[in-house]
Amino acid sequence: MITLVLARAANGVIGRDGKLPWHLPADLKHFKALTMGKPMAMGRKTFESFPSPLPGRRHIVLTRSEWQAEGAEVAHSVDEALAMAGGDVAVIGGAEVFALFADRADRIELTEVHASPQGDAIVPAFTGWREIAREDHAGDGDRPAFSFVTLARA
């Protein structure tokens, strides 16, 4: 099972300057619940955006270079990353990595952020998917409203 796990704003933005352009503690908690105990596939920049490797998860990092880092298992292709993961993997970004896995994904766990922030990492809308679950959350102060949405192949 290949699952894309991401938060995406209404305008497609998923990041700005290597960070999330919003602070949603409920989304971070949701991300942790979805990824705990699983291998996660990600790009180098996503891995480097963490202060340290996230506990309880494997970090399979796709890179074109001979890069290495403590806590990272390096893969140089999608096939190599999937072989390392052994079947069930959470793909967590960034935009280029989502694009590489999109055709192979079985499911998308999407946090729809109901805002349109500025950003430099963008993921286009998902087509060919059907919504199978939705949980809406109201905004709070400077935190935008958001929805946890599960998508399956149509």
Side-chain angles (χ1 to χ4, degrees):
M1 171 78 77
I2 299 169
T3 305
L4 307 184
V5 180
L6 71 152
R8 181 183 174 277
N11 60 354
V13 168
I14 65 165
R16 179 177 59 227
D17 299 327
K19 297 184 175 133
L20 296 173
W22 48 74
H23 180 66
L24 295 171
D27 178 50
L28 300 176
K29 189 175 179 181
H30 185 65
F31 174 85
K32 182 177 182 179
L34 289 169
T35 60
M36 186 56 74
K38 293 187 178 176
M40 300 183 305
M42 69 201 79
R44 178 190 52 79
K45 291 178 191 170
T46 297
F47 180 83
E48 289 176 343
S49 74
F50 301 139
S52 61
L54 302 176
R57 291 155 271 198
R58 287 176 57 206
H59 297 70
I60 300 170
V61 180
L62 268 78
T63 180
R64 295 178 202 99
S65 70
E66 293 305 312
W67 173 92
Q68 292 182 35
E70 178 137 355
E73 300 173 48
V74 175
H76 297 288
S77 70
V78 170
D79 288 334
E80 186 179 357
L82 291 173
M84 291 168 74
D88 193 10
V89 63
V91 179
I92 65 164
E96 288 181 44
V97 173
F98 288 129
L100 289 172
F101 280 89
D103 290 344
R104 299 185 190 204
D106 302 295
R107 181 184 210 92
I108 299 172
E109 292 292 347
L110 174 65
T111 300
E112 290 180 345
V113 180
H114 304 300
S116 293
Q118 295 291 316
D120 53 21
I122 296 173
V123 170
F126 297 104
T127 56
W129 295 85
R130 65 184 167 82
E131 185 175 311
I132 59 172
R134 173 177 290 269
E135 181 182 312
D136 296 321
H137 298 268
D140 182 21
D142 61 347
R143 294 187 179 131
F146 61 96
S147 302
F148 295 139
V149 181
T150 301
L151 303 172
R153 285 243 177 247

